[in-house]
Amino acid sequence: PGAAQAAIDNVQRAIPVFAWIGLTDTDGTVVAASQGILVGAGIADQPVFSQAKDGMYIGDVHDAVLLANLLPNPTGEPMKFVDISVPVRDESGRVRGVLATHLSWEWVRELNRSFIAALGNEHIEAFIVSADRTVLLGPRGMAGQVLDLPIFDALGQGHNAWRVLTWPDGRKYLTGARRCQGYLDYSGLGWSVLVRQPTEVAFAPARQAQAVILVAGLFMTVATALIAVALARYVTGPLEGIAADARRLRDGEL
């Protein structure tokens, strides 16, 4: 346990996005953990232990249950974790326990904030949506909502789609979506990433281009008409002179 505790502390210092790391025995009792939190507690009924006895387990995002009141929470928002755990085996391959971790959801929030800041447009919003279409991450007040949008039906594994959609707030948005893929033999959790922008903002450059094209078209129409009149006069001038001479001949002039 002492060596395990030192290793866990080193890992958490190196990768602080892990909110909690713990090592259990075969019965699910925590024998070493981050900052000693939950040492001696039993987590046998938690998926982070029970699902990892046969192989790696990666769970969907969930609210903090055991650790909600034990970990610092400077944001004050509900804490969410993604569970990642693996069985620990001895040299003979026998399972001796489980290395369980809670990956803090805050790193995803920070990634989202960096993404939006890089775009430099406050009218663009990003969402992470679970397989059952529940918003895991999005603008304030939208987490936990279920999005019944037809764009999900157009998504295959790893495919993109975009639509102009009316969202639950009644506004129309240009919406892009992509189904997340797994990695190597990990199939993923079926999440989707959506990005939306109000149509009045998204199509503003196109509408400006339309106005420019319309003005240019009107100008070209007027210019073409004036040039056509000038050319017509230039072409018909000699003919009008011949016609005038013919009339003078008809009247007996030489």
Side-chain angles (χ1 to χ4, degrees), residues 53-253:
K53 291 186 291 185
D54 298 324
M56 176 181 286
Y57 168 72
I58 301 180
D60 211 335
V61 61
H62 64 87
D63 292 330
V65 179
L66 297 176
L67 300 172
N69 299 320
L70 300 177
L71 293 175
N73 184 15
T75 65
E77 298 181 1
M79 300 178 69
K80 293 182 179 293
F81 298 133
V82 173
D83 294 340
I84 304 175
S85 53
V86 293
V88 177
R89 305 178 186 273
D90 60 18
E91 294 180 352
S92 65
R94 184 177 57 176
V95 175
R96 300 298 302 273
V98 167
L99 180 64
T101 69
H102 288 316
L103 182 64
S104 174
W105 191 239
E106 189 58 32
W107 73 273
V108 180
R109 298 181 189 274
E110 184 59 35
L111 188 66
N112 180 59
R113 285 190 287 265
S114 299
F115 167 70
I116 296 299
L119 292 175
N121 191 324
E122 61 182 9
H123 298 290
I124 293 179
E125 297 171 316
F127 298 77
I128 296 178
V129 183
S130 67
D132 62 1
R133 304 184 181 182
T134 300
V135 176
L136 302 176
L137 180 69
R140 184 177 297 274
M142 294 202 66
Q145 293 187 23
V146 177
L147 295 180
D148 187 16
L149 298 174
I151 196 170
F152 291 109
D153 300 328
L155 286 177
Q157 188 69 21
H159 290 174
N160 301 328
W162 69 271
R163 299 284 188 278
V164 174
L165 299 175
T166 301
W167 280 61
D169 61 2
R171 297 182 64 186
K172 286 189 175 182
Y173 295 87
L174 177 62
T175 307
R178 180 177 177 85
R179 185 87 68 195
C180 298
Q181 296 175 288
Y183 180 73
L184 298 179
D185 58 348
Y186 171 58
S187 61
L189 297 171
W191 293 355
S192 299
V193 175
L194 275 69
V195 179
R196 74 178 187 181
Q197 188 177 34
T199 53
E200 61 269 21
V201 178
F203 296 134
R207 293 194 178 99
Q208 291 174 358
Q210 285 179 331
V212 171
I213 292 172
L214 178 61
V215 172
L218 291 173
F219 174 78
M220 292 300 297
T221 299
V222 173
T224 301
L226 294 175
I227 292 172
V229 171
L231 286 175
R233 289 179 177 176
Y234 177 78
V235 172
T236 60
L239 296 178
E240 290 178 350
I242 293 174
D245 289 343
R247 288 192 295 272
R248 292 171 65 192
L249 288 171
R250 182 192 60 190
D251 295 336
E253 293 186 36

